[in-house]
Amino acid sequence: MESRILEKGSLEYFPTPPWATRAVIKEVLQGGLYFDLRSKRVREPCAGGGHMSAPLAETFAAVDIADVADWGINPEIRDFLEETPQRLLDDGHQLPDWIFINPPFEQAVNFVLRALEIATEGVAVFCRLGWLSSQSRYDRLFGWNAPAYVCPFSERVALIQGAWDPEASSATDYAWYIWIKDHFPSEVIRPRSTVWHLPPGMEDRYTRLRDMDLATPGEAERRRLARKAEAAGKSATSSPQLSLLEGT
């Protein structure tokens, strides 16, 4: 179940559970690598409904949000694939130290390459673990500009389209991919990532009561029941025709 069936070119809005962002900050960037992020600026160019920017604001000194569409939090409307450092500066923005992003899967490599041009210290990308498995992605990104760390979750992180449902389940594995500027020596031609497992229990450890303001509990089950009812309706509609055919 690694693929999500979506029309190409769609915005692919799958909100990141807030606890998943806290986990990589607390367990890896702060708790493991000892980055002091309290004075840093972070940009989230796919802000969605604020599910990632909310935990980012708990750690970073400044959080700049933008998106190509407004999902209810009134972000600055900007197309990240057209972003450049100079354009940000010309528009009165400061360059971010970090970029955090859950990119649309179809454009993920393009988003990462653009983020690496803009962020001054690092880029953290939330994406499926299966994103690693592709010859074209190896040729375009991982083979020559590998992330410093690949941080897979030991537990499943459940995402659904258009909402965050803390009651949802998933069979898809997710990971954080972390690029750090100048992490690899310049003479290294084929850098190799370090795997940093995020252990079980991250959801319990990093979920906060205030996260429920961003949640739509039960949405996945409502959609399942709606699909079931729709399928039953179609079956009932076609049954009389089948009976007539069987009687001929």
Side-chain angles (χ1 to χ4, degrees), residues 131-148:
W131 189 45
L132 283 169
S133 303
S134 164
Q135 181 174 329
S136 75
R137 287 191 284 272
Y138 180 88
D139 292 340
R140 294 189 61 203
L141 180 63
F142 293 119
W144 62 276
N145 197 353

Side-chain angles (χ1 to χ4, degrees), residues 29-217:
L29 295 181
Q30 288 185 320
L33 299 175
Y34 303 107
F35 278 104
D36 185 359
L37 304 175
R38 294 171 297 176
S39 63
K40 302 299 182 180
R41 175 176 295 272
V42 63
R43 172 166 285 270
E44 190 197 353
C46 295
H51 299 79
M52 189 181 290
S53 59
L56 290 175
E58 298 166 2
T59 299
F60 286 85
V63 180
D64 300 322
I65 64 171
D67 206 321
V68 73
D70 184 2
W71 301 97
I73 61 171
N74 193 31
E76 183 179 9
I77 303 299
R78 301 179 73 94
D79 185 345
F80 190 64
L81 293 182
E82 297 180 359
E83 204 70 271
T84 66
Q86 191 59 52
R87 183 184 176 202
L88 282 170
L89 294 172
D90 289 346
D91 290 345
H93 296 286
Q94 296 182 42
L95 295 183
D97 301 294
W98 282 83
I99 289 177
F100 271 64
I101 190 169
N102 173 355
F105 190 80
E106 293 290 338
Q107 294 285 345
V109 171
N110 293 330
F111 272 74
V112 172
L113 293 173
R114 189 56 52 97
L116 290 171
E117 294 177 2
I118 295 171
T120 61
E121 291 189 11
V123 173
V125 178
F126 180 81
C127 202
R128 298 179 227 170
L129 186 58
W131 189 45
L132 283 169
S133 303
S134 164
Q135 181 174 329
S136 75
R137 287 191 284 272
Y138 180 88
D139 292 340
R140 294 189 61 203
L141 180 63
F142 293 119
W144 62 276
N145 197 353
Y149 300 95
V150 177
C151 308
F153 283 91
S154 300
E155 62 201 292
R156 293 283 165 72
V157 186
L159 275 65
I160 65 172
Q161 188 172 12
W164 169 49
D165 180 1
E167 300 172 7
S169 60
S170 175
T172 302
D173 296 306
Y174 283 89
W176 282 97
Y177 301 80
I178 301 174
W179 281 263
I180 300 171
K181 292 295 182 75
D182 301 322
H183 177 78
F184 297 106
S186 58
E187 63 269 16
V188 174
I189 299 174
R190 295 287 185 183
R192 296 291 180 262
S193 304
T194 297
V195 176
W196 189 316
H197 284 276
L198 292 164
M202 295 292 94
E203 182 175 9
D204 288 342
R205 183 178 301 176
Y206 292 113
T207 294
R208 303 291 182 262
L209 184 60
R210 59 182 175 273
D211 294 342
M212 293 306 294
D213 293 338
L214 299 168
T216 310

